[in-house]
Amino acid sequence: MSSALERIDCKELIESVKEDLQSLIDSNEAEIIIEELPHTISGYKLKLRQLFQNLLSNAVKFRKLDVAPKITISCSLKSIYYEFLVSDNGIGIDRSQFDKIFLVFRRATNSGHEGQGIGLANCKKNC
């Protein structure tokens, strides 16, 4: 894996992640709204891709029953860096679980959803 920063086209990256998850998105009738994003940023493309893939798939999987997932991706400039926000209308995470969910093989819920508790731990590691 390259350790050098590279120029990343944000829209292209997220569209590529959506294509990879299209089957999951379609089967759950998920709506993904992409707000204004910076055209390009410097970063680690593979890590950023994994981050968005984990966040989007979690947002679709951990949905409320009988409610189509609605996911919004936005971004704002914070002095010298961009802050991305992925928000959804899913089941949410209880604040008491915040420390737990970013540990490998730990899950915040036993609600019958698939997963091993690796996705959010990877998100934290990749940030």
Side-chain angles (χ1 to χ4, degrees):
M1 181 183 320
S2 174
S3 61
L5 290 173
E6 54 190 305
R7 297 300 294 166
I8 302 166
D9 182 315
C10 295
K11 182 175 173 135
E12 180 182 287
L13 179 86
I14 291 174
E15 288 299 329
S16 175
V17 169
K18 282 178 51 181
E19 285 177 23
D20 287 349
L21 298 174
Q22 199 61 55
S23 174
L24 180 67
I25 291 167
D26 290 346
S27 66
N28 286 279
E29 299 177 351
E31 177 184 8
I32 299 177
I33 300 161
I34 302 170
E35 295 187 350
E36 182 107 6
L37 301 177
H39 181 64
T40 59
I41 61 171
S42 292
Y44 301 101
K45 189 173 187 175
L46 180 58
K47 289 185 176 199
L48 190 60
R49 181 176 179 56
Q50 288 174 330
L51 176 72
F52 279 112
Q53 191 158 2
N54 283 327
L55 292 175
L56 290 177
S57 65
N58 275 6
V60 173
K61 287 192 284 186
F62 294 98
R63 60 183 284 188
K64 293 176 183 171
L65 293 176
D66 301 323
V67 177
K70 184 175 181 179
I71 304 149
T72 303
I73 302 170
S74 60
C75 183
S76 61
L77 180 60
K78 304 287 186 184
S79 80
I80 61 169
Y81 64 91
Y82 287 101
E83 180 178 80
F84 287 85
L85 175 65
V86 178
S87 59
D88 64 73
N89 64 344
I91 62 173
I93 302 167
D94 188 279
R95 285 196 172 286
S96 68
Q97 301 293 312
F98 282 2
D99 290 337
K100 177 181 175 181
I101 62 170
F102 294 104
L103 300 173
V104 178
F105 305 121
R106 301 302 275 300
R107 298 181 57 193
T109 181
N110 290 322
S111 62
H113 291 91
E114 290 183 25
Q116 288 79 37
I118 297 172
L120 290 179
N122 274 340
C123 289
K124 182 177 180 183
K125 179 180 157 230
N126 286 336
C127 289

